[in-house]
Amino acid sequence: MRINLQQSMKMSQQMKLAPRMIQSMEILQLPVMALQERVDQELAENVTLEMEDRDKTVSESEEKAEREKARDENERSESEKGPMEVDNDDGNADDFERLVDMAESWPDDNYTSGSKPSSNRVSEAGDRAFDAMANAPARSQSLHDSLVEQFGYFDATPEVSSFGLYLIQNLDEDGRLQSGLPDLMSAYGRAITYEDAERALHLIQKLDPPGVGARNVQECLLLQLSNDLEYRDELEVLISRHLEDLAANRLPAIQRKTGYDLETITAAAEELSHLNPHPGREFHSSPAQAVTPDLAVDRDEEGKYTVRLLDEYTPNLRISKYYIKQLRNSPDAATKEYIKKKIEGAQWLIESIEQRNQTVKKVTEAIVEHQKDFLEKGPEHIHPLKMEEIADKVGVHVTTVSRAVSDKWVQTPRGLFPLRQFFGGGTTTEDGEDVSWNQIRLKLKAIIEGEDKKKPLSDDALVEALKEDGYQLARRTVTKYRKKMGIPSSRQRREYV
């Protein structure tokens, strides 16, 4: 085998994303609260970036007028030099010189005169940090901690207490033991009699929540049967011997095997539905996450819908005048280069946030225009919508639309919704009308709710019922949506009494 070294030329097309473009895509994808965290991080890391101090007594119109006035004062010098751009090839020398000139011409009351953060900046940052800590949920007590605390009240021998604590540590998140008592005794590593082991297990099974310490579902449910239940004896029989038949709604089979009448079986099954086969999971329930909308849709007196950004959580940013002057006056080349890179990063961030806000608003406006019927008449009137349609309307790539709606929520007159909910496929009715899959699911749910529970509709019958309303769907499609909606089969939906 011969190895030859040679030089060759090859032409190929490659797409390389500039750091600025990558940052813009990342900023676009962030929801408002994540954007706030990103801004706080940048403020901590970039000394040339600072928040704009706002006078709370100044109205929004007056504040906007002040900004326009400051901008007009610099348009004369700006117009001759063209737009400011970040160019890594020439070091941005002209742009940074213009930043210095702009800093000198802008009013002093719009900027801090030194590197020390303003009192408003410190106060606002502290307020946001305090709000975050105040809204953070306290660490809830775990199942194991609760059981250990309760177990300590029992007057048991040291052997029983020690093994009981060992058993508690071997409970899964449902509060059940995954192994039999002999296996746990072997893995315990210390000598203990079977009587003491059983005694420890029985003590655990007396703890709250009821049903902990069980070795299977049947035992878990049996432990929850209290003496005051009306159908306690019947439930004990049903749980011990006929749990699978109950789950499959095979009530006539249970009637033949037990001799109970259907009314008794139905009433006992109703009592059973109030028991919890997973008692330990209540300690693992995560708190509902608060949703902060990025946008709001308002309806004016003429019935027109307008979209506005909810940007009160993200502060207005600017480049520090102090560091712009330091860029010119500092004699140290390394310091100048450091400040130059920081100013460049600050400018990129400010422009990326502005571009994000404009893109998200334009995309939302296009969505609102397409889904007016949803806003006026309700969820059952949502239309099929693809991201490609919005991309063509706004004039951006479809991936930009996907990032713009990612994790974004909008407050509408009909409630709070994720932007992605307005997208979805659909089908065409026999009349040629486009309907969304969500509309079909609502129709399917309405048909099932209105059926005769003694003779529930099979999936084939559901297909025919939908066809009568103009929805031509395959049986497998109906079955898929029924299962996704958590609706049981016709046999499981049947009521025998």
PDB file of all heavy atoms in Angstrom, residues 108-140:
ATOM      1  N   ASP A 108     -26.489  65.557  28.507  1.00  0.00           N
ATOM      2  CA  ASP A 108     -25.855  64.833  29.612  1.00  0.00           C
ATOM      3  C   ASP A 108     -26.861  64.113  30.480  1.00  0.00           C
ATOM      4  O   ASP A 108     -26.533  63.121  31.124  1.00  0.00           O
ATOM      5  CB  ASP A 108     -25.041  65.820  30.478  1.00  0.00           C
ATOM      6  CG  ASP A 108     -23.805  66.302  29.729  1.00  0.00           C
ATOM      7  OD1 ASP A 108     -23.370  65.585  28.800  1.00  0.00           O
ATOM      8  OD2 ASP A 108     -23.295  67.379  30.075  1.00  0.00           O
ATOM      9  N   ASP A 109     -28.098  64.606  30.543  1.00  0.00           N
ATOM     10  CA  ASP A 109     -29.046  63.983  31.457  1.00  0.00           C
ATOM     11  C   ASP A 109     -29.544  62.640  30.949  1.00  0.00           C
ATOM     12  O   ASP A 109     -30.272  61.943  31.648  1.00  0.00           O
ATOM     13  CB  ASP A 109     -30.241  64.910  31.705  1.00  0.00           C
ATOM     14  CG  ASP A 109     -30.947  65.281  30.404  1.00  0.00           C
ATOM     15  OD1 ASP A 109     -30.460  64.878  29.331  1.00  0.00           O
ATOM     16  OD2 ASP A 109     -31.976  65.977  30.501  1.00  0.00           O
ATOM     17  N   ASN A 110     -29.125  62.266  29.718  1.00  0.00           N
ATOM     18  CA  ASN A 110     -29.516  60.954  29.204  1.00  0.00           C
ATOM     19  C   ASN A 110     -28.473  59.890  29.503  1.00  0.00           C
ATOM     20  O   ASN A 110     -28.655  58.726  29.173  1.00  0.00           O
ATOM     21  CB  ASN A 110     -29.732  61.009  27.683  1.00  0.00           C
ATOM     22  CG  ASN A 110     -31.063  61.638  27.319  1.00  0.00           C
ATOM     23  OD1 ASN A 110     -31.948  61.701  28.157  1.00  0.00           O
ATOM     24  ND2 ASN A 110     -31.176  62.111  26.087  1.00  0.00           N
ATOM     25  N   TYR A 111     -27.356  60.275  30.086  1.00  0.00           N
ATOM     26  CA  TYR A 111     -26.259  59.332  30.301  1.00  0.00           C
ATOM     27  C   TYR A 111     -25.639  59.535  31.661  1.00  0.00           C
ATOM     28  O   TYR A 111     -25.703  60.619  32.242  1.00  0.00           O
ATOM     29  CB  TYR A 111     -25.163  59.518  29.230  1.00  0.00           C
ATOM     30  CG  TYR A 111     -25.639  59.167  27.857  1.00  0.00           C
ATOM     31  CD1 TYR A 111     -26.219  60.140  27.062  1.00  0.00           C
ATOM     32  CD2 TYR A 111     -25.560  57.872  27.373  1.00  0.00           C
ATOM     33  CE1 TYR A 111     -26.686  59.829  25.806  1.00  0.00           C
ATOM     34  CE2 TYR A 111     -26.018  57.549  26.119  1.00  0.00           C
ATOM     35  CZ  TYR A 111     -26.582  58.531  25.336  1.00  0.00           C
ATOM     36  OH  TYR A 111     -27.040  58.222  24.093  1.00  0.00           O
ATOM     37  N   THR A 112     -24.983  58.491  32.141  1.00  0.00           N
ATOM     38  CA  THR A 112     -24.197  58.628  33.360  1.00  0.00           C
ATOM     39  C   THR A 112     -22.829  59.165  32.987  1.00  0.00           C
ATOM     40  O   THR A 112     -22.312  58.911  31.899  1.00  0.00           O
ATOM     41  CB  THR A 112     -24.049  57.265  34.046  1.00  0.00           C
ATOM     42  OG1 THR A 112     -23.514  56.346  33.102  1.00  0.00           O
ATOM     43  CG2 THR A 112     -25.385  56.750  34.522  1.00  0.00           C
ATOM     44  N   SER A 113     -22.203  59.866  33.898  1.00  0.00           N
ATOM     45  CA  SER A 113     -20.914  60.476  33.607  1.00  0.00           C
ATOM     46  C   SER A 113     -19.756  59.618  34.048  1.00  0.00           C
ATOM     47  O   SER A 113     -18.621  59.986  33.876  1.00  0.00           O
ATOM     48  CB  SER A 113     -20.830  61.837  34.318  1.00  0.00           C
ATOM     49  OG  SER A 113     -20.988  61.648  35.716  1.00  0.00           O
ATOM     50  N   GLY A 114     -20.005  58.471  34.604  1.00  0.00           N
ATOM     51  CA  GLY A 114     -18.938  57.602  35.052  1.00  0.00           C
ATOM     52  C   GLY A 114     -19.342  56.158  34.944  1.00  0.00           C
ATOM     53  O   GLY A 114     -20.432  55.827  34.520  1.00  0.00           O
ATOM     54  N   SER A 115     -18.450  55.276  35.365  1.00  0.00           N
ATOM     55  CA  SER A 115     -18.704  53.849  35.228  1.00  0.00           C
ATOM     56  C   SER A 115     -19.557  53.297  36.363  1.00  0.00           C
ATOM     57  O   SER A 115     -19.999  52.165  36.319  1.00  0.00           O
ATOM     58  CB  SER A 115     -17.376  53.072  35.197  1.00  0.00           C
ATOM     59  OG  SER A 115     -16.649  53.312  36.405  1.00  0.00           O
ATOM     60  N   LYS A 116     -19.797  54.120  37.379  1.00  0.00           N
ATOM     61  CA  LYS A 116     -20.602  53.652  38.510  1.00  0.00           C
ATOM     62  C   LYS A 116     -22.066  53.543  38.094  1.00  0.00           C
ATOM     63  O   LYS A 116     -22.610  54.455  37.501  1.00  0.00           O
ATOM     64  CB  LYS A 116     -20.466  54.640  39.669  1.00  0.00           C
ATOM     65  CG  LYS A 116     -21.255  54.210  40.907  1.00  0.00           C
ATOM     66  CD  LYS A 116     -21.087  55.216  42.009  1.00  0.00           C
ATOM     67  CE  LYS A 116     -21.902  54.816  43.240  1.00  0.00           C
ATOM     68  NZ  LYS A 116     -21.766  55.791  44.317  1.00  0.00           N
ATOM     69  N   PRO A 117     -22.720  52.427  38.379  1.00  0.00           N
ATOM     70  CA  PRO A 117     -24.129  52.280  37.999  1.00  0.00           C
ATOM     71  C   PRO A 117     -24.982  53.332  38.692  1.00  0.00           C
ATOM     72  O   PRO A 117     -24.717  53.738  39.818  1.00  0.00           O
ATOM     73  CB  PRO A 117     -24.490  50.869  38.491  1.00  0.00           C
ATOM     74  CG  PRO A 117     -23.176  50.173  38.670  1.00  0.00           C
ATOM     75  CD  PRO A 117     -22.199  51.224  39.040  1.00  0.00           C
ATOM     76  N   SER A 118     -26.022  53.754  37.987  1.00  0.00           N
ATOM     77  CA  SER A 118     -26.926  54.736  38.566  1.00  0.00           C
ATOM     78  C   SER A 118     -27.747  54.106  39.674  1.00  0.00           C
ATOM     79  O   SER A 118     -27.898  52.894  39.758  1.00  0.00           O
ATOM     80  CB  SER A 118     -27.848  55.290  37.477  1.00  0.00           C
ATOM     81  OG  SER A 118     -28.707  54.273  37.016  1.00  0.00           O
ATOM     82  N   SER A 119     -28.333  54.949  40.518  1.00  0.00           N
ATOM     83  CA  SER A 119     -29.152  54.445  41.618  1.00  0.00           C
ATOM     84  C   SER A 119     -30.392  53.740  41.092  1.00  0.00           C
ATOM     85  O   SER A 119     -30.840  52.739  41.654  1.00  0.00           O
ATOM     86  CB  SER A 119     -29.553  55.599  42.537  1.00  0.00           C
ATOM     87  OG  SER A 119     -30.273  56.582  41.796  1.00  0.00           O
ATOM     88  N   ASN A 120     -30.948  54.253  39.984  1.00  0.00           N
ATOM     89  CA  ASN A 120     -32.128  53.604  39.402  1.00  0.00           C
ATOM     90  C   ASN A 120     -31.787  52.220  38.883  1.00  0.00           C
ATOM     91  O   ASN A 120     -32.567  51.277  39.000  1.00  0.00           O
ATOM     92  CB  ASN A 120     -32.706  54.443  38.268  1.00  0.00           C
ATOM     93  CG  ASN A 120     -33.494  55.626  38.786  1.00  0.00           C
ATOM     94  OD1 ASN A 120     -33.816  55.682  39.965  1.00  0.00           O
ATOM     95  ND2 ASN A 120     -33.789  56.564  37.900  1.00  0.00           N
ATOM     96  N   ARG A 121     -30.596  52.103  38.267  1.00  0.00           N
ATOM     97  CA  ARG A 121     -30.185  50.796  37.739  1.00  0.00           C
ATOM     98  C   ARG A 121     -30.022  49.791  38.861  1.00  0.00           C
ATOM     99  O   ARG A 121     -30.491  48.656  38.770  1.00  0.00           O
ATOM    100  CB  ARG A 121     -28.872  50.940  36.963  1.00  0.00           C
ATOM    101  CG  ARG A 121     -28.300  49.604  36.495  1.00  0.00           C
ATOM    102  CD  ARG A 121     -27.048  49.805  35.672  1.00  0.00           C
ATOM    103  NE  ARG A 121     -26.442  48.524  35.309  1.00  0.00           N
ATOM    104  CZ  ARG A 121     -25.341  48.415  34.574  1.00  0.00           C
ATOM    105  NH1 ARG A 121     -24.750  49.501  34.128  1.00  0.00           N
ATOM    106  NH2 ARG A 121     -24.859  47.228  34.296  1.00  0.00           N
ATOM    107  N   VAL A 122     -29.381  50.201  39.936  1.00  0.00           N
ATOM    108  CA  VAL A 122     -29.203  49.304  41.079  1.00  0.00           C
ATOM    109  C   VAL A 122     -30.545  48.950  41.682  1.00  0.00           C
ATOM    110  O   VAL A 122     -30.826  47.797  42.032  1.00  0.00           O
ATOM    111  CB  VAL A 122     -28.292  49.966  42.134  1.00  0.00           C
ATOM    112  CG1 VAL A 122     -28.223  49.108  43.385  1.00  0.00           C
ATOM    113  CG2 VAL A 122     -26.892  50.184  41.559  1.00  0.00           C
ATOM    114  N   SER A 123     -31.439  49.950  41.783  1.00  0.00           N
ATOM    115  CA  SER A 123     -32.749  49.705  42.370  1.00  0.00           C
ATOM    116  C   SER A 123     -33.581  48.758  41.523  1.00  0.00           C
ATOM    117  O   SER A 123     -34.198  47.829  42.026  1.00  0.00           O
ATOM    118  CB  SER A 123     -33.489  51.034  42.540  1.00  0.00           C
ATOM    119  OG  SER A 123     -34.790  50.822  43.036  1.00  0.00           O
ATOM    120  N   GLU A 124     -33.582  48.976  40.179  1.00  0.00           N
ATOM    121  CA  GLU A 124     -34.373  48.121  39.296  1.00  0.00           C
ATOM    122  C   GLU A 124     -33.838  46.708  39.303  1.00  0.00           C
ATOM    123  O   GLU A 124     -34.607  45.742  39.328  1.00  0.00           O
ATOM    124  CB  GLU A 124     -34.372  48.692  37.884  1.00  0.00           C
ATOM    125  CG  GLU A 124     -35.159  49.984  37.753  1.00  0.00           C
ATOM    126  CD  GLU A 124     -35.113  50.522  36.336  1.00  0.00           C
ATOM    127  OE1 GLU A 124     -34.679  49.772  35.436  1.00  0.00           O
ATOM    128  OE2 GLU A 124     -35.501  51.684  36.126  1.00  0.00           O
ATOM    129  N   ALA A 125     -32.519  46.549  39.270  1.00  0.00           N
ATOM    130  CA  ALA A 125     -31.941  45.210  39.291  1.00  0.00           C
ATOM    131  C   ALA A 125     -32.262  44.509  40.606  1.00  0.00           C
ATOM    132  O   ALA A 125     -32.569  43.313  40.632  1.00  0.00           O
ATOM    133  CB  ALA A 125     -30.423  45.289  39.076  1.00  0.00           C
ATOM    134  N   GLY A 126     -32.193  45.284  41.704  1.00  0.00           N
ATOM    135  CA  GLY A 126     -32.526  44.684  42.998  1.00  0.00           C
ATOM    136  C   GLY A 126     -33.981  44.293  43.099  1.00  0.00           C
ATOM    137  O   GLY A 126     -34.322  43.248  43.655  1.00  0.00           O
ATOM    138  N   ASP A 127     -34.867  45.130  42.526  1.00  0.00           N
ATOM    139  CA  ASP A 127     -36.295  44.815  42.560  1.00  0.00           C
ATOM    140  C   ASP A 127     -36.588  43.553  41.779  1.00  0.00           C
ATOM    141  O   ASP A 127     -37.385  42.707  42.210  1.00  0.00           O
ATOM    142  CB  ASP A 127     -37.113  45.971  41.981  1.00  0.00           C
ATOM    143  CG  ASP A 127     -37.118  47.184  42.910  1.00  0.00           C
ATOM    144  OD1 ASP A 127     -36.793  46.998  44.098  1.00  0.00           O
ATOM    145  OD2 ASP A 127     -37.432  48.289  42.437  1.00  0.00           O
ATOM    146  N   ARG A 128     -35.960  43.379  40.602  1.00  0.00           N
ATOM    147  CA  ARG A 128     -36.208  42.175  39.813  1.00  0.00           C
ATOM    148  C   ARG A 128     -35.678  40.950  40.522  1.00  0.00           C
ATOM    149  O   ARG A 128     -36.294  39.879  40.503  1.00  0.00           O
ATOM    150  CB  ARG A 128     -35.563  42.314  38.429  1.00  0.00           C
ATOM    151  CG  ARG A 128     -36.237  43.336  37.540  1.00  0.00           C
ATOM    152  CD  ARG A 128     -35.898  43.086  36.083  1.00  0.00           C
ATOM    153  NE  ARG A 128     -34.471  43.115  35.841  1.00  0.00           N
ATOM    154  CZ  ARG A 128     -33.795  44.227  35.577  1.00  0.00           C
ATOM    155  NH1 ARG A 128     -34.422  45.380  35.535  1.00  0.00           N
ATOM    156  NH2 ARG A 128     -32.498  44.194  35.358  1.00  0.00           N
ATOM    157  N   ALA A 129     -34.520  41.072  41.168  1.00  0.00           N
ATOM    158  CA  ALA A 129     -33.973  39.935  41.904  1.00  0.00           C
ATOM    159  C   ALA A 129     -34.856  39.568  43.087  1.00  0.00           C
ATOM    160  O   ALA A 129     -35.093  38.384  43.367  1.00  0.00           O
ATOM    161  CB  ALA A 129     -32.551  40.266  42.381  1.00  0.00           C
ATOM    162  N   PHE A 130     -35.369  40.586  43.772  1.00  0.00           N
ATOM    163  CA  PHE A 130     -36.261  40.320  44.909  1.00  0.00           C
ATOM    164  C   PHE A 130     -37.559  39.664  44.442  1.00  0.00           C
ATOM    165  O   PHE A 130     -38.056  38.731  45.075  1.00  0.00           O
ATOM    166  CB  PHE A 130     -36.568  41.628  45.639  1.00  0.00           C
ATOM    167  CG  PHE A 130     -37.520  41.459  46.798  1.00  0.00           C
ATOM    168  CD1 PHE A 130     -37.077  40.973  48.018  1.00  0.00           C
ATOM    169  CD2 PHE A 130     -38.861  41.763  46.652  1.00  0.00           C
ATOM    170  CE1 PHE A 130     -37.953  40.802  49.077  1.00  0.00           C
ATOM    171  CE2 PHE A 130     -39.743  41.603  47.704  1.00  0.00           C
ATOM    172  CZ  PHE A 130     -39.278  41.120  48.922  1.00  0.00           C
ATOM    173  N   ASP A 131     -38.117  40.157  43.323  1.00  0.00           N
ATOM    174  CA  ASP A 131     -39.344  39.556  42.800  1.00  0.00           C
ATOM    175  C   ASP A 131     -39.122  38.108  42.420  1.00  0.00           C
ATOM    176  O   ASP A 131     -39.983  37.256  42.630  1.00  0.00           O
ATOM    177  CB  ASP A 131     -39.840  40.339  41.579  1.00  0.00           C
ATOM    178  CG  ASP A 131     -40.360  41.719  41.967  1.00  0.00           C
ATOM    179  OD1 ASP A 131     -40.658  41.919  43.159  1.00  0.00           O
ATOM    180  OD2 ASP A 131     -40.442  42.586  41.074  1.00  0.00           O
ATOM    181  N   ALA A 132     -37.957  37.823  41.834  1.00  0.00           N
ATOM    182  CA  ALA A 132     -37.672  36.440  41.441  1.00  0.00           C
ATOM    183  C   ALA A 132     -37.603  35.537  42.654  1.00  0.00           C
ATOM    184  O   ALA A 132     -38.111  34.406  42.645  1.00  0.00           O
ATOM    185  CB  ALA A 132     -36.359  36.382  40.653  1.00  0.00           C
ATOM    186  N   MET A 133     -36.960  36.015  43.734  1.00  0.00           N
ATOM    187  CA  MET A 133     -36.868  35.197  44.953  1.00  0.00           C
ATOM    188  C   MET A 133     -38.233  35.057  45.620  1.00  0.00           C
ATOM    189  O   MET A 133     -38.581  33.995  46.139  1.00  0.00           O
ATOM    190  CB  MET A 133     -35.862  35.819  45.925  1.00  0.00           C
ATOM    191  CG  MET A 133     -34.419  35.718  45.456  1.00  0.00           C
ATOM    192  SD  MET A 133     -33.253  36.295  46.709  1.00  0.00           S
ATOM    193  CE  MET A 133     -33.661  38.039  46.761  1.00  0.00           C
ATOM    194  N   ALA A 134     -39.020  36.129  45.603  1.00  0.00           N
ATOM    195  CA  ALA A 134     -40.331  36.085  46.256  1.00  0.00           C
ATOM    196  C   ALA A 134     -41.283  35.149  45.534  1.00  0.00           C
ATOM    197  O   ALA A 134     -42.126  34.496  46.157  1.00  0.00           O
ATOM    198  CB  ALA A 134     -40.931  37.485  46.326  1.00  0.00           C
ATOM    199  N   ASN A 135     -41.149  35.060  44.207  1.00  0.00           N
ATOM    200  CA  ASN A 135     -42.046  34.219  43.428  1.00  0.00           C
ATOM    201  C   ASN A 135     -41.548  32.790  43.289  1.00  0.00           C
ATOM    202  O   ASN A 135     -42.254  31.947  42.753  1.00  0.00           O
ATOM    203  CB  ASN A 135     -42.250  34.806  42.025  1.00  0.00           C
ATOM    204  CG  ASN A 135     -43.022  36.112  42.080  1.00  0.00           C
ATOM    205  OD1 ASN A 135     -43.920  36.265  42.895  1.00  0.00           O
ATOM    206  ND2 ASN A 135     -42.669  37.054  41.217  1.00  0.00           N
ATOM    207  N   ALA A 136     -40.328  32.513  43.744  1.00  0.00           N
ATOM    208  CA  ALA A 136     -39.803  31.155  43.655  1.00  0.00           C
ATOM    209  C   ALA A 136     -40.501  30.279  44.691  1.00  0.00           C
ATOM    210  O   ALA A 136     -40.595  30.635  45.860  1.00  0.00           O
ATOM    211  CB  ALA A 136     -38.289  31.151  43.905  1.00  0.00           C
ATOM    212  N   PRO A 137     -41.028  29.118  44.251  1.00  0.00           N
ATOM    213  CA  PRO A 137     -41.734  28.253  45.207  1.00  0.00           C
ATOM    214  C   PRO A 137     -40.786  27.653  46.231  1.00  0.00           C
ATOM    215  O   PRO A 137     -39.640  27.326  45.927  1.00  0.00           O
ATOM    216  CB  PRO A 137     -42.336  27.159  44.305  1.00  0.00           C
ATOM    217  CG  PRO A 137     -41.456  27.142  43.099  1.00  0.00           C
ATOM    218  CD  PRO A 137     -40.978  28.549  42.909  1.00  0.00           C
ATOM    219  N   ALA A 138     -41.251  27.565  47.459  1.00  0.00           N
ATOM    220  CA  ALA A 138     -40.442  26.952  48.506  1.00  0.00           C
ATOM    221  C   ALA A 138     -40.306  25.454  48.244  1.00  0.00           C
ATOM    222  O   ALA A 138     -41.178  24.829  47.643  1.00  0.00           O
ATOM    223  CB  ALA A 138     -41.089  27.183  49.865  1.00  0.00           C
ATOM    224  N   ARG A 139     -39.217  24.883  48.676  1.00  0.00           N
ATOM    225  CA  ARG A 139     -38.978  23.455  48.475  1.00  0.00           C
ATOM    226  C   ARG A 139     -40.002  22.668  49.288  1.00  0.00           C
ATOM    227  O   ARG A 139     -40.082  22.786  50.505  1.00  0.00           O
ATOM    228  CB  ARG A 139     -37.552  23.088  48.907  1.00  0.00           C
ATOM    229  CG  ARG A 139     -37.238  21.606  48.732  1.00  0.00           C
ATOM    230  CD  ARG A 139     -35.841  21.300  49.227  1.00  0.00           C
ATOM    231  NE  ARG A 139     -35.546  19.884  49.106  1.00  0.00           N
ATOM    232  CZ  ARG A 139     -35.826  18.985  50.027  1.00  0.00           C
ATOM    233  NH1 ARG A 139     -36.441  19.355  51.137  1.00  0.00           N
ATOM    234  NH2 ARG A 139     -35.522  17.709  49.846  1.00  0.00           N
ATOM    235  N   SER A 140     -40.798  21.883  48.586  1.00  0.00           N
ATOM    236  CA  SER A 140     -41.837  21.111  49.252  1.00  0.00           C
ATOM    237  C   SER A 140     -41.226  19.885  49.924  1.00  0.00           C
ATOM    238  O   SER A 140     -40.167  19.390  49.527  1.00  0.00           O
ATOM    239  CB  SER A 140     -42.904  20.673  48.255  1.00  0.00           C
ATOM    240  OG  SER A 140     -42.322  19.910  47.214  1.00  0.00           O
TER     241      SER A 140
END
